[in-house]
């Protein structure tokens, strides 16, 4: 897990594991939507999630192109964009994939304004 808004494409023509910016035709729209979410999230907007084991990982503006972060071949985000014209971003909301129930109120507080901002943009 991490704390970042990721946008298409997640797959790249080279299938290198990481570091390939895979630009979609709607790249600017995806960046706009990802920033709308990230800019309202207290951790995501810093671009430094500080996840255990990945303390040096950074994401400018709290967003990343999926394939630049890590290549995912055959992912739903790309499939839905290409075949259903569905604009999706992937939100990584926590360093922990399954946070304990006791942390859910904090996660809600961290994401409430981001969700509202994103819905307004959509």
């Amino acid at each position: 897990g991490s704390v970042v808004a990721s946008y298409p494409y997640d797959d790249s023509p080279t299938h290198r594991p990481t570091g390939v910016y895979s630009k979609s035709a709607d790249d600017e729209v995806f960046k706009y939507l990802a920033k709308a979410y990230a800019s309202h999230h207290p951790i995501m907007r810093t671009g430094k999630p500080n996840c255990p084991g990945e303390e040096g990982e950074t994401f400018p503006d709290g967003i990343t192109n999926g394939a630049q972060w890590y290549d995912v071949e055959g992912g739903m985000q790309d499939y839905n964009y290409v075949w259903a014209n569905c604009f999706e971003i992937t939100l990584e909301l926590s360093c922990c994939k399954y946070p304990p129930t006791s942390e859910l109120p904090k996660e809600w507080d961290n994401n409430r304004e981001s969700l509202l901002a994103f819905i307004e943009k959509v």
Side-chain angles (χ1 to χ4, degrees), residues 4-108:
V4 66
S6 173
Y7 55 91
Y9 285 119
D10 287 335
D11 194 5
S12 69
T14 64
H15 303 299
R16 284 187 29 216
T18 187
V20 177
Y21 195 101
S22 190
K23 185 176 181 178
S24 73
D26 297 292
D27 194 64
E28 292 302 315
V29 174
F30 283 118
K31 286 194 288 189
Y32 175 78
L33 293 173
K35 283 182 185 180
Y37 194 97
S39 67
H40 290 85
H41 190 286
I43 298 167
M44 198 179 292
R45 70 174 164 228
T46 70
K48 299 175 184 173
N50 202 28
C51 292
E54 300 289 341
E55 290 84 1
E57 188 170 60
T58 60
F59 303 101
D61 296 321
I63 69 172
T64 189
N65 173 262
Q68 186 162 15
W69 185 21
Y70 65 93
D71 195 273
V72 175
E73 187 175 354
M76 286 301 298
Q77 179 171 262
D78 290 358
Y79 178 88
N80 287 336
Y81 174 59
V82 172
W83 297 104
N85 200 30
C86 182
F87 285 43
E88 295 181 10
I89 63 172
T90 298
L91 300 168
E92 297 275 342
L93 302 178
S94 173
C95 296
C96 176
K97 289 285 188 185
Y98 303 102
T101 303
S102 62
E103 291 185 23
L104 294 181
K106 179 186 76 164
E107 291 300 328
W108 169 245

